[in-house]
Amino acid sequence: QVQLVESGGGLVQTGGSLRLSCAASGRTFSSYFMGWFRQAPGKVREFVAAETRDGSPSAANARGGRFTISRDSAKNTVYLQMNSLKPEDTAVYYCAARPQSTGVVNISPAYVYWGRGTQVTVSS
């Protein structure tokens, strides 16, 4: 079992930045790759960014390179750095863990553990 707790969300103006954190506890954190998803009101959950097998971070192309995922293994924490935020980035952001054997990175069913989410609101 892996427990995930997100933090760092809040209210930010258009063009601003936020760094979300996802603290992991429980079973060996290093056995999992991490990802971030988001869900806006009335919309389906969508992929944001994820760690990949080859070590290069993967982020949805639609984000235009504005979002970056990183990991601090010593702290069992994964981060999502979000820059140049837009009102359409407003959503609840979730971190999730998938087994390292899972090749697919950008769909929800690939992930077995989820946090409860943190709200990000971008004002215009």
Side-chain angles (χ1 to χ4, degrees):
Q1 190 79 5
V2 174
Q3 292 79 41
L4 303 173
V5 179
E6 302 96 335
S7 62
L11 176 64
V12 63
Q13 291 185 335
T14 296
S17 298
L18 279 176
R19 188 178 77 160
L20 305 183
S21 300
C22 175
S25 61
R27 295 183 65 181
T28 307
F29 178 55
S30 60
S31 299
Y32 296 87
F33 287 138
M34 303 298 292
W36 287 92
F37 289 77
R38 70 185 186 184
Q39 188 167 18
K43 295 187 177 181
V44 300
R45 187 170 298 185
E46 63 177 354
F47 171 73
V48 175
E51 299 176 306
T52 61
R53 285 177 172 175
D54 64 5
S56 63
S58 171
N61 291 333
R63 311 289 171 255
R66 297 182 295 119
F67 294 2
T68 304
I69 187 171
S70 62
R71 173 192 289 240
D72 185 335
S73 296
K75 296 182 178 180
N76 279 3
T77 300
V78 170
Y79 303 97
L80 181 68
Q81 179 65 44
M82 305 187 296
N83 299 325
S84 302
L85 285 163
K86 306 174 182 180
E88 51 263 43
D89 294 318
T90 295
V92 177
Y93 284 71
Y94 300 89
C95 69
R98 74 180 193 276
Q100 290 188 353
S101 59
T102 304
V104 178
V105 307
N106 62 345
I107 59 173
S108 297
Y111 294 80
V112 295
Y113 298 111
W114 291 81
R116 299 185 67 177
T118 185
Q119 175 71 47
V120 172
T121 302
V122 184
S123 63
S124 57

